[in-house]
Amino acid sequence: MVEIVNVVASGALNVELDLERLADDIGEPVARHDPDKYPGMYLRFEEDAPLITVYRTGKFIITGADSEDESYSLRERFLNLFSDMDVIEEPEDEWFAVQNYVCTGELDQNLNLNALAIGLGLEKTEYEPEQFPGLIYRPEGAEGVVLLFATGKVVITGCRSVESVEEIFASLTETVSEVL
DNA sequence: TGAGCGGCTCCTTATATATCAGCTTCGG
DNA sequence: CCGAAGCTGATATATAAGGAGCCGCTCA
């Protein structure tokens, strides 16, 4: 089974924003804005809640959600806030989509990463333990990238859908049991 | 020769994973 | 006072975003 640990989604409002003024109106700690450090304005409704990064152009990113649903409800809350503040006319955006799922998985066995690099195919893997302890696996024809660790723990990232993640994990489980 | 522009890299954020170096802190 | 233990930040992965800075190229 795979568990979603992070969802990155982005969208766009059809307006140019005055981040300086918005940050002042919303106030800390919900809004944080330091244009010398980064051009985006950060919005976080509660402590440990996902982060919304808003740009001058009206585009925005939501990071740190644990599910697609959480991303969408965060987006709704964000649109309602801007609508209530009369920043936008209706609580609507031009578009909104999940861009990246970060998931963890468990293969329930210790892995010999050197052997696995050969088994999975050297052209699809990168393993330099002195640089990073995980093996990087890029399954052919798949959206995502997999990080495999000697403990059997796995990280799958780069997919735009949960289906893609599960597809990768299923074929990974199969391939690993075949080559080891 | 220099201005301008396009393309590229880096910065920042979230998040799991593991391993290293370097630093602080604590106990005997 | 020193070793051990704990903590921090780096390493790598993906992805969106805007801005800064850099490099190379073209044209006047």
Side-chain angles (χ1 to χ4, degrees):
Chain A
M1 243 349 261
V2 286
E3 186 192 351
I4 301 169
V5 294
N6 183 25
V7 178
V8 180
S10 62
L13 306 172
N14 195 20
V15 282
E16 169 102 8
L17 303 171
D18 181 350
L19 299 181
E20 208 72 66
R21 208 204 81 203
L22 281 170
D24 278 349
D25 289 352
I26 297 165
E28 297 209 19
V30 173
R32 286 183 297 123
H33 182 48
D34 183 358
D36 294 331
K37 196 179 169 212
Y38 192 67
M41 171 181 71
Y42 300 124
L43 288 181
R44 196 188 314 258
F45 293 119
E46 277 102 28
E47 209 175 327
D48 297 321
L51 180 75
I52 305 173
T53 310
V54 190
Y55 298 90
R56 175 190 55 77
T57 56
K59 292 189 177 177
F60 63 97
I61 305 171
I62 300 180
T63 54
D66 293 328
S67 66
E68 181 180 359
D69 284 352
E70 195 186 4
S71 285
Y72 275 80
S73 65
L74 232 290
R75 162 221 192 192
E76 207 168 299
R77 186 164 176 188
F78 165 62
L79 294 175
N80 284 330
L81 171 70
F82 272 27
S83 177
D84 290 343
M85 292 176 72
D86 292 321
V87 174
I88 53 176
E89 287 181 23
E90 295 292 325
E92 284 171 12
D93 44 16
E94 281 190 310
W95 56 272
F96 184 74
V98 170
Q99 303 293 348
N100 183 25
Y101 281 99
V102 183
C103 302
T104 55
E106 174 69 64
L107 293 175
D108 298 316
Q109 62 174 307
N110 290 333
L111 305 173
N112 177 336
L113 298 181
N114 282 307
L116 200 55
I118 296 162
L120 292 171
L122 290 174
E123 73 286 354
K124 293 174 239 163
T125 58
E126 293 168 49
Y127 180 46
E128 290 170 59
E130 288 182 11
Q131 192 179 21
F132 187 70
L135 181 154
I136 298 146
Y137 173 46
R138 297 170 196 275
E140 219 174 340
E143 263 196 313
V145 172
V146 184
L147 309 185
L148 294 122
F149 298 88
T151 55
K153 290 191 177 176
V154 155
V155 175
I156 299 171
T157 186
C159 291
R160 286 176 187 268
S161 74
V162 178
E163 290 71 31
S164 298
V165 175
E166 279 167 356
E167 218 171 277
I168 288 171
F169 187 70
S171 81
L172 178 72
T173 305
E174 199 178 320
T175 311
V176 167
S177 66
E178 280 171 14
V179 304
L180 290 184

